[in-house]
Amino acid sequence: MKKLPTLILGAVIAAQLTVPVSMIRSRELVLKNGECFRFKTRPIDPADPFQGRYVRLGFESDHILCEKQESENLDHKQKIYATVETDSEGFAYFSGWSLSPPETGTYLETRYRNIYSARNPETEKWETKGIRIEIPFDRFYMDETKAPRAERIARDATRTTNCWAEVRILEGKAVIEDVFAEGQSLRELAAKKDKK
Amino acid sequence: MRKVSAKHLQWLEKELPVLESEGVISPEVSVGIKSYYTEKTASSVHWAIIAFAILGSLLIGSGIILLFAHNWDELGRSARAVLSFCPLMIGSVLSLIALIKNGGTALRESAGIFHSLAVGASIALIGQTYHLPSDTPAFLLSWALLILPLVFLLRSTGAFLIYLGLAWGWSIAAQETYGQAAGYWLLILPAFGRLIMQIKNSRHAPDTLVSLFGLLIALCMSLGFVFERTVPGLWIVAYSALLSAAGLFGIHYYRDRDSWSNPAKTFALIGIPVLAYIFTWTYFWDDIGWGHFRLGWNYRPWGNWLDGGITLALLTGWVAAAVKAFRRNSMETILLSVFPILSISGFLLSSSGDGFETLNALIFNAFLLAFGILYIVLGCRNTKLRQLNGGMAVLSVLLVTRFFDAEFGFMAKGIVFIALGAIFLSVNLIMARKKKQMEVLP
């Protein structure tokens, strides 16, 4: 028996097991201790060759309002920390950003995408209003048969009522708990429509 | 010890008494031959066993990934977390058995392939369970790094090819996500290390040949993605150097071997005419060189240094291979060595100003013409149909394309097509007859 190669292989297997274990541990910590936020969504439905079918989530709040000169030195894809707050309707939005983790409040570790512009209704010109950021919870995996139906339900629901994702955030990391349409869990809704 | 298949040994055993009775060999010689093959050779595993073992592990591994991709909503988080470890555990046990028992090629390859796919399946299922974001480069990088030791420990070519595929995938995803993929060169270094070890141990072994072919294809596919493209057209020099260096390396290390027995030369002989054909179009020579330096948010300021460094490394490889392989009496080595010189000249000419596009296109038309003619001549001289047809195919594509460029009528075009087809058929017929006459039946 070759002792050294076997020992090395043992160490490799241990490392291979450590990666999924640490992935599970960190996400379970977020789900257990993270603060819960509701993000308004706009879902679409693609597929991933390795991970299966999912509902891709677009979010209404994917930007941070700030002065133009504040974001001038940001590089594309640069890591930033976005502060999360809740508005009067109970939905989450990003209120500010910093290059290091803020000492107080809930924040999300993300990356800078590009400038956020909006049309000024008075001048009718596009003006820089802030920055767009990457949303690191844009996938909601579902059963391959339910995902297209869930997407349809969510799309219809978005027209008439609010559709949102419940996300838990802890120390910059975020995990989606569930997605809601017509006030019900998307999974349950897709399963119900299936039985009908 | 030489490896001889059981099928050939059986044939020999039947033939020896016949040769003995016909008086071709003496009984002593017959006994000598028999004892040589019994004592000095080992029976080799049939390739079909290895192929089916590889195919089986590939199918099972991919099937597990697809089963996981279905997304079993009914199962809870904890059940899915436990499930994600199952293929990884099976893969680990298989690898341990293959290593401890010093398993044969079939066992090592199946363990390597299954274990490599199980690592990806495990990470993917956890990503699915916790709805992790679409961080493809991080996923591919973790997967690649976690299976890299298996390539060396199990000496598995299948795992090696999966690693190369993941590194290539990472280069595309990283370029898309981070805007640069310079780390690819670090990822590919261990692959070079493994290949050098294989070539030193047994350069003609099938797994060495497959690894060499895989690495060359991976390099060829990744080079375009990893390049920062801050200096337009530098890829022309880089690709020419890579292909020429590979061809010359193949000629030096694998001598007169052809086709799959000489992957480096085959890779070059397929790649060079394709690249040279691309260079026969004038618009590939438009707006290239340092005068058209690209700036912007999606180009790194150090991009020219990285691209320049890679190109320089490839050119160094080309010079080293040319020094070793170049022979004045071999038109093949001359043609392969000249290819990057023409590309460099073309790049420098087009960089110096406008108006050289047509000249460069003409030069590569002439090169391709020479390439086609050379292989037709070599094919006729060596009675090799593959060389002859390769040369004729290159020549035909060149002639047909240039013919379409010019505004000839349908009748003229039709006649040229028929003439080319007739030449193809008659030359092949003549060569096939010539080969048949020369063939010595066993």
Side-chain angles (χ1 to χ4, degrees), chain B residues 42-63:
Chain B
S43 71
S44 64
V45 183
H46 197 271
W47 64 268
I49 296 172
I50 300 170
F52 280 117
I54 292 170
L55 195 67
S57 50
L58 248 178
L59 286 172
I60 295 171
S62 314

Short mmCIF file of all heavy atoms in Angstrom, two decimals, chain B residues 42-63:
data_model
loop_
_atom_site.label_atom_id
_atom_site.label_comp_id
_atom_site.label_asym_id
_atom_site.label_seq_id
_atom_site.Cartn_x
_atom_site.Cartn_y
_atom_site.Cartn_z
N ALA B 42 3.66 -8.71 -21.80
CA ALA B 42 2.48 -8.79 -20.92
C ALA B 42 1.26 -8.54 -21.77
O ALA B 42 1.30 -7.77 -22.74
CB ALA B 42 2.57 -7.74 -19.84
N SER B 43 0.16 -9.20 -21.37
CA SER B 43 -1.05 -8.97 -22.18
C SER B 43 -1.65 -7.61 -21.82
O SER B 43 -1.70 -7.25 -20.65
CB SER B 43 -2.07 -10.07 -21.93
OG SER B 43 -2.59 -9.92 -20.64
N SER B 44 -2.04 -6.85 -22.82
CA SER B 44 -2.59 -5.51 -22.57
C SER B 44 -4.11 -5.60 -22.44
O SER B 44 -4.73 -6.47 -23.03
CB SER B 44 -2.21 -4.57 -23.71
OG SER B 44 -2.80 -5.02 -24.88
N VAL B 45 -4.66 -4.66 -21.65
CA VAL B 45 -6.12 -4.64 -21.48
C VAL B 45 -6.72 -4.13 -22.78
O VAL B 45 -6.20 -3.21 -23.41
CB VAL B 45 -6.49 -3.69 -20.33
CG1 VAL B 45 -8.00 -3.70 -20.10
CG2 VAL B 45 -5.77 -4.09 -19.06
N HIS B 46 -7.78 -4.76 -23.17
CA HIS B 46 -8.40 -4.35 -24.41
C HIS B 46 -8.95 -2.93 -24.28
O HIS B 46 -9.51 -2.56 -23.25
CB HIS B 46 -9.53 -5.33 -24.76
CG HIS B 46 -9.95 -5.23 -26.18
ND1 HIS B 46 -10.93 -4.37 -26.58
CD2 HIS B 46 -9.48 -5.84 -27.29
CE1 HIS B 46 -11.07 -4.48 -27.90
NE2 HIS B 46 -10.20 -5.37 -28.34
N TRP B 47 -8.76 -2.15 -25.33
CA TRP B 47 -9.18 -0.74 -25.27
C TRP B 47 -10.67 -0.59 -24.99
O TRP B 47 -11.11 0.36 -24.37
CB TRP B 47 -8.81 -0.02 -26.58
CG TRP B 47 -9.54 -0.55 -27.78
CD1 TRP B 47 -9.10 -1.52 -28.62
CD2 TRP B 47 -10.84 -0.18 -28.24
NE1 TRP B 47 -10.03 -1.79 -29.59
CE2 TRP B 47 -11.11 -0.97 -29.38
CE3 TRP B 47 -11.79 0.74 -27.81
CZ2 TRP B 47 -12.29 -0.86 -30.09
CZ3 TRP B 47 -12.98 0.84 -28.52
CH2 TRP B 47 -13.22 0.05 -29.63
N ALA B 48 -11.46 -1.61 -25.44
CA ALA B 48 -12.91 -1.52 -25.27
C ALA B 48 -13.27 -1.52 -23.78
O ALA B 48 -14.21 -0.82 -23.37
CB ALA B 48 -13.58 -2.68 -25.97
N ILE B 49 -12.51 -2.28 -22.96
CA ILE B 49 -12.81 -2.33 -21.52
C ILE B 49 -12.62 -0.94 -20.92
O ILE B 49 -13.45 -0.43 -20.17
CB ILE B 49 -11.91 -3.38 -20.81
CG1 ILE B 49 -12.23 -4.77 -21.35
CG2 ILE B 49 -12.08 -3.32 -19.29
CD1 ILE B 49 -11.30 -5.87 -20.89
N ILE B 50 -11.48 -0.31 -21.29
CA ILE B 50 -11.19 1.04 -20.77
C ILE B 50 -12.25 2.01 -21.27
O ILE B 50 -12.79 2.82 -20.51
CB ILE B 50 -9.77 1.50 -21.21
CG1 ILE B 50 -8.74 0.52 -20.66
CG2 ILE B 50 -9.48 2.91 -20.72
CD1 ILE B 50 -7.35 0.70 -21.20
N ALA B 51 -12.57 1.92 -22.58
CA ALA B 51 -13.54 2.86 -23.16
C ALA B 51 -14.89 2.75 -22.48
O ALA B 51 -15.51 3.75 -22.12
CB ALA B 51 -13.68 2.59 -24.66
N PHE B 52 -15.34 1.48 -22.24
CA PHE B 52 -16.65 1.31 -21.60
C PHE B 52 -16.63 1.76 -20.14
O PHE B 52 -17.62 2.29 -19.64
CB PHE B 52 -17.13 -0.15 -21.73
CG PHE B 52 -17.72 -0.42 -23.09
CD1 PHE B 52 -17.15 -1.34 -23.95
CD2 PHE B 52 -18.84 0.28 -23.53
CE1 PHE B 52 -17.68 -1.58 -25.21
CE2 PHE B 52 -19.38 0.05 -24.79
CZ PHE B 52 -18.79 -0.88 -25.63
N ALA B 53 -15.48 1.53 -19.46
CA ALA B 53 -15.37 1.98 -18.07
C ALA B 53 -15.47 3.51 -18.00
O ALA B 53 -16.17 4.07 -17.15
CB ALA B 53 -14.05 1.52 -17.48
N ILE B 54 -14.79 4.17 -18.93
CA ILE B 54 -14.81 5.64 -18.97
C ILE B 54 -16.23 6.13 -19.28
O ILE B 54 -16.77 7.00 -18.61
CB ILE B 54 -13.80 6.18 -20.00
CG1 ILE B 54 -12.37 5.90 -19.52
CG2 ILE B 54 -13.99 7.67 -20.26
CD1 ILE B 54 -11.30 6.17 -20.54
N LEU B 55 -16.82 5.51 -20.32
CA LEU B 55 -18.17 5.92 -20.75
C LEU B 55 -19.18 5.70 -19.62
O LEU B 55 -20.03 6.56 -19.35
CB LEU B 55 -18.56 5.11 -21.99
CG LEU B 55 -19.75 5.65 -22.76
CD1 LEU B 55 -19.41 6.97 -23.40
CD2 LEU B 55 -20.18 4.66 -23.84
N GLY B 56 -19.04 4.55 -18.94
CA GLY B 56 -19.96 4.23 -17.85
C GLY B 56 -19.89 5.25 -16.74
O GLY B 56 -20.92 5.77 -16.30
N SER B 57 -18.66 5.59 -16.30
CA SER B 57 -18.53 6.55 -15.19
C SER B 57 -18.99 7.93 -15.63
O SER B 57 -19.59 8.68 -14.85
CB SER B 57 -17.11 6.58 -14.67
OG SER B 57 -16.22 6.73 -15.73
N LEU B 58 -18.73 8.26 -16.90
CA LEU B 58 -19.17 9.57 -17.43
C LEU B 58 -20.70 9.67 -17.40
O LEU B 58 -21.27 10.67 -16.97
CB LEU B 58 -18.70 9.72 -18.86
CG LEU B 58 -17.63 10.77 -19.17
CD1 LEU B 58 -17.27 10.75 -20.62
CD2 LEU B 58 -18.03 12.16 -18.74
N LEU B 59 -21.35 8.58 -17.88
CA LEU B 59 -22.81 8.57 -17.94
C LEU B 59 -23.43 8.61 -16.55
O LEU B 59 -24.38 9.38 -16.31
CB LEU B 59 -23.30 7.34 -18.70
CG LEU B 59 -23.09 7.39 -20.22
CD1 LEU B 59 -23.42 6.05 -20.85
CD2 LEU B 59 -23.96 8.47 -20.84
N ILE B 60 -22.88 7.80 -15.62
CA ILE B 60 -23.44 7.76 -14.27
C ILE B 60 -23.25 9.13 -13.60
O ILE B 60 -24.19 9.69 -13.02
CB ILE B 60 -22.81 6.63 -13.43
CG1 ILE B 60 -23.18 5.27 -14.03
CG2 ILE B 60 -23.27 6.70 -11.97
CD1 ILE B 60 -22.45 4.09 -13.43
N GLY B 61 -22.02 9.69 -13.71
CA GLY B 61 -21.75 11.00 -13.11
C GLY B 61 -22.66 12.08 -13.67
O GLY B 61 -23.25 12.86 -12.92
N SER B 62 -22.80 12.11 -15.00
CA SER B 62 -23.66 13.13 -15.62
C SER B 62 -25.11 12.90 -15.25
O SER B 62 -25.87 13.84 -15.04
CB SER B 62 -23.52 13.09 -17.14
OG SER B 62 -22.19 13.03 -17.50
N GLY B 63 -25.50 11.61 -15.15
CA GLY B 63 -26.88 11.27 -14.77
C GLY B 63 -27.20 11.78 -13.38
O GLY B 63 -28.29 12.31 -13.15
#
